[in-house]
Every structure is written in C-alpha cells, then in structure tokens.
Amino acid sequence: MTSSLKRVPVPKNGVDYRGKVVLAPMVRSGELPSRLLALKYGADLVWGPETIDKSMIGTTKRINPVTSTIDYSRVSSNGGRNPSVPLKENNIYRLHPTREHGRLIFQIGTSSPSTAVEAARLVAPHVAGIDVNAGCPKSFSTSGGMGAALLQTPDHLASILSALVMEVGDVFKIGISVKIRLLETPEETEALVRKLCATGITGLTVHCRTTPMRPRERAIRDQLRMIAGICRAEGVACVMNGDVKNRNEALQLMQEFGVDGAMIATAAEANPSSFRSNEAGGLLPWREVVQEYMKIALDVDNKWGNTKFTLGQLIPGKAEVYRNVMGCKCYTQICEALELHALLDQAKDVDRRLDLSQSYDQAAVSNAKTMNKTAQAAGGRTSAERTLTSEDRHPLSERGVGISTVMAA
C-alpha cells in the first residue's frame, strides 16, 4: 500500500500555489500596472505590495467607472487645518476584478489578529488569498511590530494566521498564507515552520535570507529542502524567494530543492518579461516592455509618482532617453519623450483626470521662454526684427571702415 501525502484543502475561491512562478510582493513595484504586465508576460500569480491593515480600515470601496477597477480610498488629513483647501482623496489599494481574477494575492502588514481580520475582510471577496508579511526587514514595518519583527514572536504570528484562517479564509473560501525569512539557525527555522504550518495555512513562502541580510547578499538555500519537507508533510505549499532571475531558472530551482513554487522579485522589477520562458522568446527589449507598461498605466489611471518610479526601473540608466523621462512632469510629456505618439490623446485625458495637465502647460510655457531667450536679446528685439535684408547689409569691403578710421585718429 502507498500512503497519499497530506494536503491542506485549497478553498473553492482560493488558488493552489503548487507549480506556480509568481510575482513577489514589492512596495511601489507591485502596483496594479506592474501586476497586470507580469500576468501578460506569464506570471501565474501576482502578490500585491504590502498594505498595512490600519491603512485599509476605514477606506471607502468603489467601482471606478473609468478604469473598471475596484478602488479602496480615504480622504487625506493633510491640509485639513486650512478649510479653504479641499481635502484630497488618496487611493490606498487598487485591483482589477476581471484581469486579476483568481490570480491576485493580497499581502497584509499587521501585528494584530483583530486588525488583520478587519482589514482582510474588506478585500477578501475580490482576491484569491491573503498573505501575511512576516519577512520585511525595513524599519517602517518592524518598528510597528510587523514584518520580520513577527519572526521574534512566533506564537503571536501563529495567532494572527489562525485568526485569519478561521475568520476570513473559512468565511470567504480563500487561502491564507505567510511569507517569512530564515532564522539564525536551521533548528529555529524548523520550529517556526512547524508552528506556522499547524495554523491551517495553505501556503508558506520563504525568503532565503535572514533579517539582517540585504538584497545584494547572495541568497542562502541550504535550508530549503528541510523547509520544503516540513511543508510537504503538513500539506502546505512551499514557495521559494531570493535571487530567482526568470521562469526557466525558477522551474529548475523548484525541481532541485523540492519546493512547490518560486517568486521572482528584483529581476521582474527590472524587466517583467522575465516571466516568459526561453521557449517563448525570453526577455524582451526594454523599449517594448516600457510601451506595454505605459498602455496599462494609462488604462488604469495609475498614480503619476508610481509610474515615473517604475519607468526608472524599466529604462536602463545609460539609455539616452532616461534623463528626459525622469524630467517629465506628466503622462503627455512621457509619451512625447518616448515617442509613443499613438498614446498621446489618452495621456492628455489621464493628465486632466489626475490634475497633471497644469504641469504640462507650465512646462510648455517654460520651454517656450527658454527657446526665445536668444530672440529676446539685444533690447528685446526678436531674431526676425534683427535680421537685415540684403539691401541693409554693407558689402564686405565696406564693413569696419568707419571703425578703423576712428581707431587710427
């Protein structure tokens, strides 16, 4: 007789992480246009950027009629002291209910079971899973007891996961997962993984670095087989993260270390066509990727600051157009700099909706003034006024005669 492996059931509205090559959660690089572009190029699943539970609580959910997205927004408190300044509505999270359907994992930053549940319930009807960030080493996360700080309190982390499984996963029929880092010793990592797998989660992602390690330091994979073995025994899908460069390498690493899936992070940030297999052509030229990104960013009215940041990752710093793009102040200017003429009309519409058209008008006036500086020289006369006709000009033989006479006197 052969015994079948244990497997935590994947809820009917959830998704199995097994056999998947996925986009890692990344602040700024995990916003909607980046996720949609990764899906276009072959990502099986996409993680959104870590979103703090308290920032979601109190948001207003609405269907955006222009972009067909679901937006979670709240009114900013900035400027509230001046009643003459209208309060600005800030978008906290945006997802596409059809283009991301069944493939989006919402990653939450939290340090509390109750606030985690409250925030997760808001987005649970529209995502395939909720993932707890227990690996971010940045101070903005750890200082609030979130991210990698949770690795120091495994019982508390387990309580957060258990609450999410019972009060969100079971209710909305989606999976709950967690993303961790390696601890200082294999024994500590093993104990942590066993504890977390016992909470009812469907997936566990391990970033193959310890908390103090920086991205430039080589990922440590010595513990992967041990972690994958524990997850397999408990029926939990195990996903690896750290220095995975493309789809083909991801599949090779999955087979080598016995893990169920792999995440691509910085490689996808630089070129999301890294999700394309070698058989499909592999990496695409950056110009083609940027053009596709711009189409998507305009389709979803992406935040201007995020679009500019992402272009700074996609366009090589040595490219001639890089400096021009980084100096742009609106979508219209970006399309002009990149010579995306077919997108200009749409860019102007987006600029108006995002209140960026004024920046374009001001830049146009500034450029006109710069171009006309020479023309305003010589007492304000334009170049046309200073141009002499053939009748006004003295023959070369007569030029300077008067001057030489005076100098000789």
Side-chain angles (χ1 to χ4, degrees):
M1 283 181 67
T2 58
S3 59
S4 59
L5 289 173
K6 179 180 177 181
R7 178 170 291 200
V8 176
V10 176
K12 69 174 184 177
N13 297 327
V15 63
D16 195 343
Y17 293 176
R18 294 174 179 86
K20 305 294 195 298
V21 180
V22 306
L23 178 69
M26 292 181 284
V27 176
R28 295 193 290 183
S29 294
E31 296 294 341
L32 180 57
S34 299
R35 302 197 304 266
L36 293 179
L37 191 57
L39 289 171
K40 173 183 173 63
Y41 288 136
D44 298 307
L45 299 173
V46 289
W47 264 242
E50 177 194 22
T51 305
I52 307 303
D53 53 7
K54 293 178 182 178
S55 70
M56 283 292 290
I57 297 171
T59 56
T60 299
K61 169 187 164 184
R62 69 184 182 95
I63 306 292
N64 190 317
V66 176
T67 61
S68 299
T69 56
I70 295 177
D71 297 350
Y72 294 84
S73 59
R74 69 188 319 135
V75 175
S76 171
S77 59
N78 292 336
R81 289 187 288 268
N82 187 350
S84 64
V85 177
L87 295 178
K88 185 178 180 181
E89 191 172 24
N90 289 334
N91 185 64
I92 304 300
Y93 199 83
R94 173 173 287 168
L95 61 89
H96 203 292
T98 54
R99 297 170 72 175
E100 294 187 286
H101 178 69
R103 297 186 289 178
L104 171 63
I105 308 300
F106 178 85
Q107 191 183 68
I108 191 168
T110 185
S111 62
S112 161
S114 59
T115 53
V117 167
E118 186 176 357
R121 290 176 68 91
L122 298 174
V123 75
H126 310 292
V127 299
I130 303 292
D131 185 73
V132 173
N133 182 345
C136 180
K138 300 296 180 64
S139 60
F140 72 81
S141 186
T142 57
S143 62
M146 302 178 291
L150 290 169
L151 299 177
Q152 306 305 314
T153 55
D155 288 336
H156 184 57
L157 173 55
S159 71
I160 293 173
L161 295 174
S162 296
L164 286 168
V165 168
M166 290 186 291
E167 300 180 50
V168 179
D170 291 348
V171 174
F172 293 93
K173 309 303 179 187
I174 61 175
I176 305 299
S177 59
V178 63
K179 187 169 186 285
I180 66 170
R181 283 189 174 230
L182 300 174
L183 296 184
E184 291 303 316
T185 67
E187 292 75 20
E188 290 176 305
T189 302
E190 179 181 355
L192 173 68
V193 172
R194 290 190 184 280
K195 182 180 292 289
L196 301 184
C197 284
T199 61
I201 57 174
T202 58
L204 181 146
T205 299
V206 56
H207 185 154
C208 297
R209 292 183 174 91
T210 60
T211 299
M213 292 177 67
R214 300 280 72 88
R216 65 180 179 274
E217 298 180 74
R218 188 179 181 86
I220 302 171
R221 294 173 178 157
D222 297 349
Q223 300 181 42
L224 260 183
R225 289 187 181 85
M226 176 266 290
I227 297 169
I230 296 171
C231 289
R232 190 179 305 110
E234 296 298 327
V236 175
C238 180
V239 179
M240 67 171 293
N241 173 221
D243 293 347
V244 183
K245 297 180 177 62
N246 54 57
R247 171 173 286 276
N248 283 76
E249 183 183 60
L251 296 174
Q252 181 266 319
L253 289 170
M254 288 161 59
Q255 184 174 13
E256 179 181 351
F257 291 97
V259 294
D260 299 301
M263 272 184 176
I264 303 179
T266 53
E269 183 177 49
N271 190 330
S273 67
S274 56
F275 285 103
R276 284 164 44 104
S277 66
N278 292 342
E279 295 72 22
L283 282 180
L284 291 169
W286 70 263
R287 281 190 176 275
E288 184 173 341
V289 173
V290 164
Q291 181 172 340
E292 290 301 318
Y293 174 81
M294 283 298 298
K295 289 178 182 177
I296 297 173
L298 289 170
D299 283 345
V300 300
D301 283 7
N302 194 43
K303 294 178 183 178
W304 164 246
N306 179 253
T307 294
K308 191 171 179 180
F309 167 82
T310 305
L311 289 174
Q313 308 304 306
L314 299 177
I315 301 174
K318 294 182 179 180
E320 186 176 345
V321 75
Y322 179 86
R323 176 177 289 185
N324 292 338
V325 168
M326 291 299 100
C328 292
K329 299 182 183 299
C330 62
Y331 279 103
T332 303
Q333 288 182 345
I334 288 280
C335 289
E336 289 174 343
L338 294 171
E339 299 182 352
L340 301 176
H341 304 303
L343 300 179
L344 275 173
D345 288 343
Q346 186 180 6
K348 291 175 182 177
D349 290 339
V350 174
D351 283 340
R352 281 191 288 270
R353 286 196 293 272
L354 299 183
D355 294 327
L356 297 173
S357 54
Q358 185 177 358
S359 298
Y360 177 74
D361 294 338
Q362 290 174 345
V365 170
S366 176
N367 289 338
K369 287 181 178 180
T370 301
M371 294 294 290
N372 203 38
K373 277 184 178 179
T374 303
Q376 291 175 333
R381 291 183 298 155
T382 64
S383 58
E385 292 172 332
R386 298 197 310 274
T387 301
L388 298 175
T389 64
S390 59
E391 296 175 354
D392 295 327
R393 290 194 179 97
H394 294 289
L396 286 173
S397 59
E398 296 180 10
R399 293 182 192 177
V401 172
I403 295 176
S404 61
T405 305
V406 173
M407 290 179 66

